[in-house]
Amino acid sequence: MENQRKNVASLYDKVAPIYDDSFEAKAENHITPKLVEWYEKYGLKDGVILDIGCGTGKLKEYLGDNFTYKGIDISPQMAIEAKKRGYEVLVGPIEDLIKTFPDKSVDHITAVSCLFFLEDWPELVKEFQRVARKSIFVSLEQFRPEVTEKMRELGITVYNHSASEIESPTEVIKNTFLWIRPTTKERVEIFGDLVFKKLS
């Protein structure tokens, strides 16, 4: 597990300064527009967001300034970029840091394109439901074997997680197109599930 964490942090540290232009902008991201749609549908207009795997803090550009943004990321360089957008960021393993949050201490939890690095998804679900007051939104990528193998060559294991771990979700879209891998010459489409749960 320690090597996994080190390799993920190293990968994102290297790309952090160019991530928004070279990766995010080319990924054809279909996740955050759906998040915005569901927030609008259910009247979620403000509050404290805990952005899991927050990266550069790009989520703020989708949801705007009415929210307060906290983040967790394993990459110190990504945290630097997120802080430029006004995030308060904790740096370290998500599985460990989420446990430091008191019960019902944030309004919303988002986890966009980051959970595939983490093995114990059922335990994370419990923590998300413990910490969030109003809503949880996650993307659950389902990687094909060739993508999994490419990541393994970088010393990183990726995990496919099930939406069924979240009981009584408010909205679920299964096996939908989420994004493309922006670093490959051929078009590699990533599919998976989107899950939203309104808690109050």
Side-chain angles (χ1 to χ4, degrees):
M1 179 181 290
E2 203 53 47
N3 281 341
Q4 169 88 347
R5 291 171 171 176
K6 186 186 302 180
N7 291 339
V8 171
S10 176
L11 173 66
Y12 283 95
D13 277 348
K14 289 174 184 174
V15 302
I18 60 168
Y19 186 82
D20 286 348
D21 292 333
S22 299
F23 292 85
E24 174 75 18
K26 299 177 181 178
E28 295 183 23
N29 177 13
H30 287 223
I31 300 172
T32 36
K34 181 54 70 173
L35 167 61
V36 171
E37 178 186 320
W38 283 341
Y39 268 41
E40 290 177 352
K41 178 178 178 179
Y42 292 99
L44 305 179
K45 299 177 180 179
D46 54 25
V48 177
I49 293 177
L50 177 58
D51 189 2
I52 304 294
C54 66
T56 64
K58 187 77 171 178
L59 183 65
K60 186 175 182 179
E61 293 191 4
Y62 287 90
L63 291 177
D65 294 329
N66 287 340
F67 294 91
T68 299
Y69 295 87
K70 297 186 177 189
I72 297 176
D73 205 283
I74 201 166
S75 161
Q77 294 303 314
M78 284 292 197
I80 289 171
E81 298 301 318
K83 288 176 182 178
K84 293 176 184 177
R85 287 191 164 104
Y87 269 62
E88 176 188 325
V89 186
L90 295 176
V91 177
I94 293 165
E95 313 96 305
D96 297 342
L97 292 178
I98 189 70
K99 293 176 181 176
T100 68
F101 283 78
D103 292 0
K104 305 304 177 188
S105 55
V106 303
D107 295 297
H108 315 285
I109 286 180
T110 61
V112 175
S113 299
C114 64
L115 296 174
F116 46 81
F117 293 125
L118 309 173
E119 185 174 9
D120 195 350
W121 169 229
E123 183 61 28
L124 274 174
V125 172
K126 292 177 186 175
E127 289 297 317
F128 290 176
Q129 295 186 141
R130 179 184 67 80
V131 172
R133 285 190 292 262
K134 296 182 179 178
S135 76
I136 297 167
F137 174 92
V138 300
S139 67
L140 300 171
E141 282 76 357
Q142 305 292 325
F143 291 107
R144 299 196 303 269
E146 59 268 29
V147 176
T148 302
E149 184 55 38
K150 286 288 185 184
M151 295 301 292
R152 190 176 290 118
E153 291 172 6
L154 298 173
I156 296 171
T157 302
V158 294
Y159 302 92
N160 294 341
H161 297 309
S162 171
S164 64
E165 292 295 336
I166 298 182
E167 294 183 9
S168 305
T170 309
E171 302 270 5
V172 180
I173 303 176
K174 296 188 72 66
N175 195 33
T176 188
F177 171 50
L178 300 179
W179 45 277
I180 64 164
R181 292 187 72 210
T183 55
T184 54
K185 292 180 180 178
E186 73 279 10
R187 181 182 175 87
V188 179
E189 296 184 344
I190 305 300
F191 286 75
D193 302 340
L194 295 177
V195 186
F196 173 78
K197 182 170 183 176
K198 193 170 186 300
L199 299 171
S200 64

